[in-house]
Amino acid sequence: MATLIRPSLSLQRPKSLAAQLAKDLSDRIARGELKPGDKLPSEHEMVASYGVSRTVVREAVSSLKSAGLASARQGVGVFVLDASSIAPFRIDPEELDTVKEIISLLELRTSLESEAAALAAERRSAAQLERLRQALELMGRAVDTQQDGVDADFSFHQEIAQATNNRYFIELFAYLGMMAIPRSRIGMYKSDIAARNAYLKKVDLEHHAIFQAIAEKNAEAARLAMHRHLSNSRDRLKRASETASGLGTHKT
C-alpha cells in the first residue's frame, strides 16, 4: 500500500536573500555605480563578497534579467542594460509567489522544453551529450547525498537548451534562470527528508529517460520524455499544494 506523505510546502518571503541581492545590484545600477555596458561581478565574486550561495546569486541575476536591467552574453558574462532597452515580455520572480503562478510557468516550459528536447536529440554533438551526461551525474550525486539538487536540475535543463544549437532557446532558458526550477522558489518536503528523497529519485529517473532519448537521437522519444517529466512536475506540485492545504494526499 502506498505511503501517505504530508509535505511541508512554504513560499519564500519577498525579502529572500536573492531578492535582497537583486535589490542591492539594481540600486547600484540606479545610482550609476554600474553603468549600461558594464559587466556584473562574476558568480564566484558575488558568492565571496556577499556571502551567499551560487543558487542565490543565480536567482538574483535572473531577477535583473527579467527586469530588463541585465543581459547574458554566452561565454562572456552578464552585462548591465540601458533602462530604455527593457523587453516587452518579462516574468517578475516576485510574482511567482503562489503555486498557481509557478504551475503556469511549468505549463509554458512544457511546451517549449518538449520541443527543445526533440531538437537536442536531432542536433546534439558528442561534446554536448557528454556535458549533458555530466549534469545527469550531478543530479544522481545530489540524490545519493540527500541534497536538494536544484543546481544539478537547472544544469541538466540548461544543457538541453544548449544542445538545440538555437540561440533563442538558449537565451530564453538563461532568462528564466532558477525560476525554471519550482523547488527553488517553493520549499517542498522541507520537514520530510524521506519524501524529498523519493521525489528527487523520481525526477532523476525522468531525467535519465530524457537523456537516453537524446543519446539515441530519437527526437520523438525525447519530446515525449520531456513532456512527461514536466507534466509530472506540475502534477506533483499540485498534489503537494493540496496536501499542505489539507485538501488531499500525496502518494509516493
Side-chain angles (χ1 to χ4, degrees), residues 71-165:
S71 178
R73 298 179 194 170
Q74 188 176 353
V76 181
V78 180
F79 292 81
V80 177
L81 291 176
D82 189 299
S84 63
S85 66
I86 295 177
F89 173 80
R90 62 188 293 266
I91 299 173
D92 185 349
E94 292 305 315
E95 291 180 358
L96 294 174
D97 59 355
T98 67
V99 171
K100 180 180 177 182
E101 289 298 322
I102 294 175
I103 286 174
S104 293
L105 180 56
L106 269 173
E107 290 173 347
L108 174 64
R109 285 183 59 205
T110 300
S111 61
L112 293 171
E113 290 193 58
S114 296
E115 188 60 27
L119 291 174
E122 293 174 347
R123 300 174 180 176
R124 59 85 179 162
S125 66
Q128 287 170 332
L129 183 66
E130 175 59 20
R131 287 195 293 273
L132 186 59
R133 183 189 63 77
Q134 291 172 0
L136 188 67
E137 289 181 350
L138 278 177
M139 185 67 182
R141 287 199 289 273
V143 173
D144 291 341
T145 57
Q146 299 185 357
Q147 310 270 332
D148 66 15
V150 169
D151 287 344
D153 200 338
F154 176 77
S155 295
F156 181 79
H157 287 272
Q158 186 176 46
E159 290 300 337
I160 290 173
Q162 292 284 341
T164 66
N165 297 310

Side-chain angles (χ1 to χ4, degrees), residues 198-209:
Y199 163 80
L200 290 177
K201 285 178 181 178
K202 290 178 182 178
V203 172
D204 191 37
L205 286 172
E206 290 164 3
H207 281 186
H208 271 84

Side-chain angles (χ1 to χ4, degrees), residues 173-186:
F173 199 78
Y175 167 80
L176 291 175
M178 296 305 292
M179 290 189 294
I181 310 300
R183 66 185 182 280
S184 71
R185 299 202 63 77
I186 290 184

Side-chain angles (χ1 to χ4, degrees), residues 32-47:
E33 294 175 17
L34 291 170
K35 298 177 175 60
D38 285 353
K39 184 178 178 181
L40 288 182
S42 69
E43 182 179 291
H44 177 75
E45 289 170 336
M46 283 194 273
V47 165

